Amino acid sequence: MATNPSVAPSSPEAARQNFVWGVSTSSYQIEGAADRDGRGPSIWDSYCHQIGRIANGDTGDVACDHYSRYQQDVDLMRDLGVHAYRFSVAWPRVLPKGSGAINEPGLAFYDRLIDALLAAEIEPWLCLYHWDLPQALDDLGGWTNRDCALWFADYAALIARRYGDRVKRFATFNEPSVFTLFGYCMGGQAPGIADQGLLLRAMHHVNLAHGTCVDVLRTNVPQASLGIIHNREPCVPASDAPQDAAAAHKLDLYWNNVFPDPQLLGYYPPLLADAIAPFQQPGDLARICRPIDWFGLNHYSPLYLKANDRNPLGVGFGDPPPGVQRTVMGWPVEPGAFRATLTEIHRRYRLPIYVLENGTAVTDKIDGKGEVADQQRIDFLAAYTAAMFEAIKAGADVRGYFVWSLLDNFEWGSGYGPRFGITYVDFPTQRRIPKASFHWYARLIKASGRTPALPSGEA
Ligand code: FCB
């Protein structure tokens, strides 16, 4: 059901009352159990096991062992008081070869997880794709193969039929621009290809997969509330040089527009349309632009860009102006950019917004009292949630906020170094220790006073 703008909360106070507070994770980053119960390999299993790809040679083989410890993690969330939990299904856990034979034990794991969440009165938000493409499909070209959209639609139908009685919130993809840009062109992510032509081809097929999947989910779960999760960051030239301005403009199109524009406005950015045309078939834009209910936003920081001829896209990452604070990832801390991003999305796409990832990596340590005093993370979250409320006051229709992440986890190319969790994970023992930010977030949620309710659609 497309959203009726008249149901938008009438005031910031009303928005606050019904606000959804949550936490997010993803399958490959936390589940582990890479070879348990019939799971097939994904492109991230293959990529991590290639020498030199990941810091410290880390892999997601064990990660947070969430596959075995999910009940403990749900208990943590109940203690935290979140209304919702966003997780992803590992496609190769339920379809080991990506299509064809179903893996019943894999499906049963998500049954257990969903039932545990509902028992704890936490609403499951299910994301179908957080980057772990089945390796068997990549062997057939992965997202560069147009058929991948059809394989994805069949996978979506399986998930919808299995869980649609209990799950009403679905996201088709997490950050399509990030996994295509880095996986197919700029380097640093699976499947590790660097080719601008293949990038554009993959982008178009992911767009097709999104639109096709929306139709499949609507048919199978009539009350579903559907969205997609985009990483959106302002693209800022790193200097006054005209070539850096051009680089920033170029990345803006690839990072911020090439997915939401065709999906929500029905067209590709004019400067990219010709380059994508060879991969299009008649009717594709109509297949891609299907009504959805909300815009999922992941936001961390603005991006500072400069021209870089060594990169196949001709764009490289630069530094923010001197004096701007940066996290251990090197990402600038600029809550004002978050506020501006929320306002811009509201104006451009006119959909309710859920912030489905925001947070920061901190060099956390367990102190003498056995606690983790992550004041820096508290400061970050306080500043960013304040910026969000300013955006709401200025009229942006923001309906929820999810912290990345519930747990310290496998941070892709950076391995287990950067800790993004509000819960510390001692990886050798898998002990979970809620950090000071966990308790801070619990108080924020409690103070917001929302009565938890399981919504159907947005109405
Ligand atoms: C986002 C990813 C998420 C996590 C955070 C830090 O781009 O969606 O999996 O790695 O960054």
Side-chain angles (χ1 to χ4, degrees), residues 58-135:
D58 289 343
T59 74
D61 289 0
V62 177
C64 306
D65 191 26
H66 172 77
Y67 187 75
S68 304
R69 294 165 198 265
Y70 70 90
Q71 184 62 58
Q72 189 187 347
D73 295 335
V74 171
D75 292 347
L76 269 172
M77 287 187 264
R78 196 199 45 221
D79 294 348
L80 180 60
V82 280
H83 312 130
Y85 172 53
R86 173 195 151 204
F87 64 99
S88 72
V89 169
W91 185 349
R93 196 177 286 292
V94 299
L95 289 164
K97 293 206 175 320
S99 64
I102 291 165
N103 183 36
E104 176 55 33
L107 284 168
F109 165 67
Y110 298 105
D111 278 328
R112 294 196 293 279
L113 173 63
I114 290 163
D115 291 346
L117 288 165
L118 293 174
E121 295 190 44
I122 298 167
E123 189 194 356
W125 286 51
L126 188 157
C127 176
L128 283 154
Y129 189 86
H130 202 124
W131 307 357
D132 39 4
L133 182 73
Q135 181 58 50

Side-chain angles (χ1 to χ4, degrees), residues 23-24 26 30 38 59 65-66 70 74 82 123 125 135 167 174 235 259 302 325 337 354 366 381-382 410 447 457:
V23 279
S24 295
S26 87
I30 66 164
T59 74
D65 191 26
H66 172 77
Y70 70 90
V74 171
V82 280
E123 189 194 356
W125 286 51
Q135 181 58 50
V167 177
N174 176 70
C235 287
F259 289 101
Q325 190 195 335
Y354 289 93
I366 307 175
L381 295 174
F410 173 77

Side-chain angles (χ1 to χ4, degrees), residues 25-376:
T25 65
S26 87
S27 45
Y28 190 71
Q29 293 177 278
I30 66 164
E31 283 179 4
D35 57 3
R36 292 254 306 273
D37 297 342
R39 176 187 177 277
S42 78
I43 54 173
W44 272 94
D45 295 286
S46 312
Y47 190 75
C48 291
H49 284 275
Q50 290 164 20
I51 291 166
R53 293 291 201 188
I54 310 292
N56 198 35
D58 289 343
T59 74
D61 289 0
V62 177
C64 306
D65 191 26
H66 172 77
Y67 187 75
S68 304
R69 294 165 198 265
Y70 70 90
Q71 184 62 58
Q72 189 187 347
D73 295 335
V74 171
D75 292 347
L76 269 172
M77 287 187 264
R78 196 199 45 221
D79 294 348
L80 180 60
V82 280
H83 312 130
Y85 172 53
R86 173 195 151 204
F87 64 99
S88 72
V89 169
W91 185 349
R93 196 177 286 292
V94 299
L95 289 164
K97 293 206 175 320
S99 64
I102 291 165
N103 183 36
E104 176 55 33
L107 284 168
F109 165 67
Y110 298 105
D111 278 328
R112 294 196 293 279
L113 173 63
I114 290 163
D115 291 346
L117 288 165
L118 293 174
E121 295 190 44
I122 298 167
E123 189 194 356
W125 286 51
L126 188 157
C127 176
L128 283 154
Y129 189 86
H130 202 124
W131 307 357
D132 39 4
L133 182 73
Q135 181 58 50
L137 299 186
D138 192 59
D139 294 342
L140 302 172
W143 291 113
T144 69
N145 183 335
R146 189 177 166 101
D147 286 347
C148 207
L150 300 177
W151 300 324
F152 187 68
D154 288 347
Y155 157 60
L158 171 70
I159 296 301
R161 288 187 197 125
R162 178 77 174 216
Y163 308 118
D165 57 336
R166 288 156 291 162
V167 177
K168 303 297 172 195
R169 298 279 196 176
F170 293 91
T172 55
F173 283 91
N174 176 70
E175 299 188 353
S177 65
V178 174
F179 78 78
T180 52
L181 264 169
F182 291 110
Y184 290 92
C185 191
M186 295 181 83
Q189 291 207 3
I193 293 169
D195 181 310
Q196 198 174 350
L198 290 179
L199 169 70
L200 289 165
R201 188 188 284 267
M203 286 179 151
H204 183 63
H205 296 153
V206 170
N207 268 327
L208 265 182
H210 161 78
T212 314
C213 174
V214 168
D215 289 347
V216 164
L217 292 170
R218 292 257 183 253
T219 308
N220 287 284
V221 190
Q223 260 103 56
S225 171
L226 306 181
I228 177 161
I229 306 161
H230 293 296
N231 183 305
R232 206 169 173 95
E233 326 275 23
C235 287
V236 186
S239 80
D240 293 337
Q243 61 271 31
D244 289 354
H249 182 57
K250 185 170 190 187
L251 198 75
D252 190 32
L253 298 178
Y254 278 85
W255 191 292
N256 290 320
N257 293 104
V258 73
F259 289 101
D261 284 7
Q263 290 168 8
L264 300 171
L265 306 178
Y267 56 82
Y268 275 109
L271 287 174
L272 285 184
D274 286 350
I276 289 177
F279 316 121
Q280 287 194 56
Q281 292 181 11
D284 275 4
L285 280 169
R287 288 184 194 105
I288 292 168
C289 185
R290 312 298 299 148
I292 57 173
D293 301 298
W294 42 267
F295 188 112
L297 170 68
N298 292 354
H299 177 90
Y300 290 91
S301 68
L303 304 174
Y304 289 87
L305 288 322
K306 56 185 185 192
N308 180 347
D309 291 343
R310 286 191 308 269
N311 187 285
L313 210 58
V315 178
F317 293 96
D319 294 322
V324 172
Q325 190 195 335
R326 299 172 83 162
T327 71
V328 297
M329 298 295 288
W331 299 349
V333 179
E334 295 188 51
F338 182 37
R339 187 183 54 232
T341 299
L342 290 166
T343 303
E344 192 241 346
I345 294 170
H346 173 71
R347 290 211 185 108
R348 189 169 173 86
Y349 300 112
R350 295 283 156 192
L351 277 177
I353 302 166
Y354 289 93
V355 177
L356 291 178
E357 279 184 34
N358 177 240
T360 187
V362 174
T363 317
D364 295 312
K365 296 259 180 299
I366 307 175
D367 65 19
K369 290 186 272 178
E371 293 169 1
V372 181
D374 57 340
Q375 187 59 43
Q376 249 179 293

